Amino acid sequence: MRTVVCNKNDMAPGDMKEATLGRASIVICRTSDGEFYAFANRCIHQGAPLSKGKLCGAPEPTDKVGEYKFCREGEIIRCPWHGREFDAKNEGRTLSNPKFKLKEYKVEIEEDQVVVYK
Amino acid sequence: MTKEREKLNLIDTDIHERVSYEELLPYLENPWKRYITDCHWIQEKRMPYTQPAVAGVDRADARVPDGRPAGSDLGFMQKQLLDDVGHEFGILTGALDPSPSSMHGWYEMASALARAYNNWQIENWLEKDDRLYGSVHICANDVTEAVKEIERVGPHPKMVQVLLPIDDFMWGDPYYHPIYEAAQRHDLVIGMHHNEPPLYYGKWPRYFIEWHTLLPTSHMMQVTNMVFNGVFEKFPKLKLLMIEGGFTHMPHLMRKMDQQYKDLRHEVPWIKRMPSDIVREHIKFTTQPLEEMSKREFMQLIEQMGSEDLVCFSTDYPHWDYDSPFAALPPNLDEGLRRKIFSENARALYPKLPQSKGGN
Ligand code: FES
């Protein structure tokens, strides 16, 4: 199954967009480096629609108590409900525990169109 | 939602409707109104952090499409919550702003705000949706006025409880007992919901995550205080709902109070039964924010409380730590218990809710 989501230029780096693939709701992320990623639009915690959250950055893990180093802007999906963070560039794994991840879909750019495959 | 799913017939014991001060003005008399319009009065708030999730303390998808804050529009709430989930009933608990019983002075203003809030709530929410039931807001620190307000709006058919915020007042103190007498007389439950309790020896911890982790301790303090101050011995029909503290701390507290009572009964001779029996007869707890756990772990806690009748489901809509009725409980709970948690325990708690449905 495939679906054409939009034109490549319809999404700027840092944008997030909801789409459907068959009966499934999916969320497309264009990360700050211009790449595209697609995930099931359903948080693995309680099912919130991730497209209503934020594609943002995060304070990176540090060894120093009290240190905030905000980075990865436009690469982290933060859930609209309880705020869990998913790394779009690392298979949608949660920052708190990389064992857990979102369901990911394959994205191809075909003649400037963003196409998602199942 | 794309898929059809089961409608739950939920009785949701914690829904936060929100008022703006502007909306409250027509319900306020002078001079109270002028303190807001001319002097820009706003209620004291102390918490140093308001940022927990993507949209502050609200669900990011619950902001009203026209830009108003989450919880401020009945139509949007009906669509996003009541219709989507399939609520049988929902109990409104306010947004604690204003929170007249949290004020540390100027109780005349607090009482005026409570009256205005109740009128606003009745007109704009309770009388506009059959599913919604309400909480009587009072200024508990002026007990005479508080009782007057319970007498005034308590008999309204859609008012089912009196709301007391958990801050730094201990509500079991005999000073507040006339409130319980009035509530009992009007078949109103006491609902306690934390506002901004300073849990850390009267101060604030450095991080929100610390404060939020230990919120149940503020509920434990109030339960202990209500039990040992003899509130339920004095008002044998009174019921209390502890809202948004969860329930998983209660097996410990019930056992601890029992053990203490065996040793220290002499100090509280008006208590004539085991504290855990008092809890089981008079107090219930909302589920949210429920920790993730297996059915086995969940059932162990229920067993340790010695009753399946103490826990009532709550969503806490529209706040960031909303619990989805479709996902928060462990899977495969027995249907009888699920029905109790979703509706029958709440129905048994609130004598003013229609009693007919479910119950099987
Ligand atoms: S539903 Fe996404 S963090 Fe809870």
Side-chain angles (χ1 to χ4, degrees):
Chain A
M1 189 186 294
R2 84 194 269 277
T3 190
V4 177
V5 173
C6 60
N7 195 285
K8 191 175 158 194
N9 296 324
D10 292 343
M11 287 179 75
D15 280 357
M16 201 161 55
K17 186 183 175 63
E18 184 185 352
T20 48
L21 178 62
R23 290 183 56 202
S25 174
I26 57 174
V27 58
I28 322 298
C29 307
R30 186 168 194 188
T31 49
S32 41
D33 58 4
E35 298 291 322
F36 288 86
Y37 298 88
F39 301 96
N41 191 20
R42 214 186 125 72
C43 182
I44 53 172
H45 176 216
Q46 291 195 9
L50 294 166
S51 57
K52 299 274 165 69
K54 279 253 181 317
L55 186 58
C56 53
E60 75 174 356
T62 171
D63 292 330
K64 257 176 132 178
V65 174
E67 179 181 68
Y68 289 86
K69 241 174 130 186
F70 194 78
C71 53
R72 317 271 324 266
E73 189 64 84
E75 296 183 0
I76 307 295
I77 305 165
R78 203 155 178 232
C79 176
W81 292 1
H82 314 98
R84 295 189 186 188
E85 302 160 293
F86 299 92
D87 189 341
K89 295 198 73 68
N90 184 20
E91 303 176 304
R93 292 179 187 278
T94 58
L95 295 193
S96 58
N97 184 349
K99 240 173 62 195
F100 299 103
K101 58 177 185 157
L102 300 172
K103 180 175 166 60
E104 189 171 15
Y105 295 96
K106 199 166 102 186
V107 186
E108 302 279 4
I109 303 302
E110 298 170 6
E111 293 171 357
D112 276 356
Q113 303 222 289
V114 182
V115 186
V116 181
Y117 287 90
K118 185 165 161 179
Chain B
M1 288 289 150
T2 45
K3 269 188 284 177
E4 266 304 304
R5 52 182 189 194
E6 114 195 83
K7 295 283 179 196
L8 289 180
N9 289 325
L10 176 70
I11 300 183
D12 185 346
T13 50
D14 189 20
I15 300 177
H16 297 286
E17 84 287 10
R18 169 172 281 284
V19 74
S20 66
Y21 282 114
E22 211 182 349
E23 284 171 294
L24 217 46
L25 291 177
Y27 300 88
L28 273 171
E29 283 167 11
N30 274 326
W32 318 115
K33 198 196 247 181
R34 309 254 327 231
Y35 288 123
I36 294 175
T37 53
D38 300 0
C39 315
H40 310 293
W41 180 88
I42 50 167
Q43 178 149 4
E44 62 191 297
K45 285 273 176 186
R46 305 175 301 267
M47 195 162 79
Y49 5 65
T50 54
Q51 83 301 351
V54 173
V57 295
D58 294 323
R59 255 174 65 167
D61 59 343
R63 178 170 276 273
V64 183
D66 64 14
R68 278 176 299 149
S72 42
D73 187 81
L74 173 63
F76 189 66
M77 178 191 285
Q78 286 167 328
K79 190 159 150 262
Q80 188 170 48
L81 182 74
L82 307 177
D83 300 345
D84 185 53
V85 172
H87 277 54
E88 186 184 350
F89 301 122
I91 316 291
L92 297 179
T93 49
L96 293 157
D97 184 17
S99 176
S101 288
S102 304
M103 287 172 63
H104 287 86
W106 209 17
Y107 302 137
E108 297 82 356
M109 177 67 165
S111 299
L113 285 164
R115 288 191 297 273
Y117 193 91
N118 292 330
N119 291 346
W120 171 83
Q121 183 193 178
I122 290 170
E123 195 177 315
N124 295 284
W125 296 80
L126 305 185
E127 293 185 344
K128 287 203 171 143
D129 190 308
D130 289 347
R131 294 165 291 189
L132 293 177
Y133 285 77
S135 303
V136 177
H137 293 237
I138 54 172
C139 165
N141 282 301
D142 184 334
V143 169
T144 312
E145 282 300 315
V147 168
K148 258 205 235 161
E149 187 59 4
I150 295 171
E151 303 290 353
R152 186 180 76 89
V153 290
H156 190 284
K158 304 282 303 287
M159 284 293 193
V160 294
Q161 73 186 355
V162 175
L163 188 76
L164 288 175
I166 303 176
D167 283 292
D168 51 3
F169 302 108
M170 299 308 298
W171 297 128
D173 191 285
Y175 174 72
Y176 301 111
H177 289 193
I179 292 169
Y180 306 129
E181 193 279 325
Q184 176 178 267
R185 194 153 28 82
H186 288 284
D187 282 335
L188 298 167
V189 168
I190 300 294
M192 283 194 198
H193 188 298
H194 55 264
N195 184 24
E196 295 192 338
L199 309 171
Y200 285 73
Y201 317 114
K203 300 186 202 144
W204 295 94
R206 189 151 165 154
Y207 302 108
F208 179 86
I209 193 170
E210 300 176 72
W211 181 75
H212 205 252
T213 298
L214 287 190
L215 265 178
T217 62
S218 69
H219 291 245
M220 293 165 83
M221 286 179 208
Q222 294 291 355
V223 167
T224 310
N225 184 245
M226 293 286 279
V227 166
F228 288 129
N229 279 263
V231 172
F232 303 108
E233 310 308 289
K234 216 160 143 184
F235 308 105
K237 271 174 57 204
L238 191 73
K239 303 279 196 248
L240 169 65
L241 179 66
M242 301 304 296
I243 307 167
E244 207 180 333
F247 70 92
T248 56
H249 50 279
M250 281 313 292
H252 160 73
L253 186 63
M254 289 161 87
R255 195 163 294 240
K256 176 61 82 181
M257 284 195 295
D258 282 358
Q259 176 259 329
Q260 294 289 297
Y261 176 69
K262 289 178 201 161
D263 300 347
L264 300 173
R265 188 218 57 84
H266 69 97
E267 191 190 15
V268 285
W270 47 87
I271 305 295
K272 296 181 281 301
R273 49 187 171 153
M274 282 296 155
S276 63
D277 287 331
I278 298 178
V279 169
R280 275 185 289 270
E281 189 178 330
H282 294 274
I283 312 182
K284 294 194 196 296
F285 306 86
T286 65
T287 46
Q288 184 271 347
L290 187 58
E291 301 89 352
E292 288 157 280
M293 65 185 105
S294 67
K295 174 183 173 184
R296 189 164 153 266
E297 290 162 333
F298 188 89
M299 289 313 299
Q300 284 171 343
L301 294 165
I302 296 282
E303 266 163 43
Q304 286 186 38
M305 291 167 79
S307 171
E308 290 191 347
D309 303 339
L310 305 188
V311 178
C312 307
F313 197 89
S314 58
T315 62
D316 189 36
Y317 179 90
H319 288 162
W320 70 280
D321 45 350
Y322 170 86
D323 263 347
S324 164
F326 299 102
L329 292 177
N332 306 319
L333 280 190
D334 296 344
E335 189 48 29
L337 177 60
R338 222 170 77 102
R339 275 287 29 109
K340 282 186 170 186
I341 294 173
F342 275 148
S343 57
E344 297 319 308
N345 288 345
R347 201 189 310 277
L349 172 70
Y350 290 107
K352 289 179 71 179
L353 280 186
Q355 295 293 314
S356 54
K357 200 156 177 180
N360 47 6

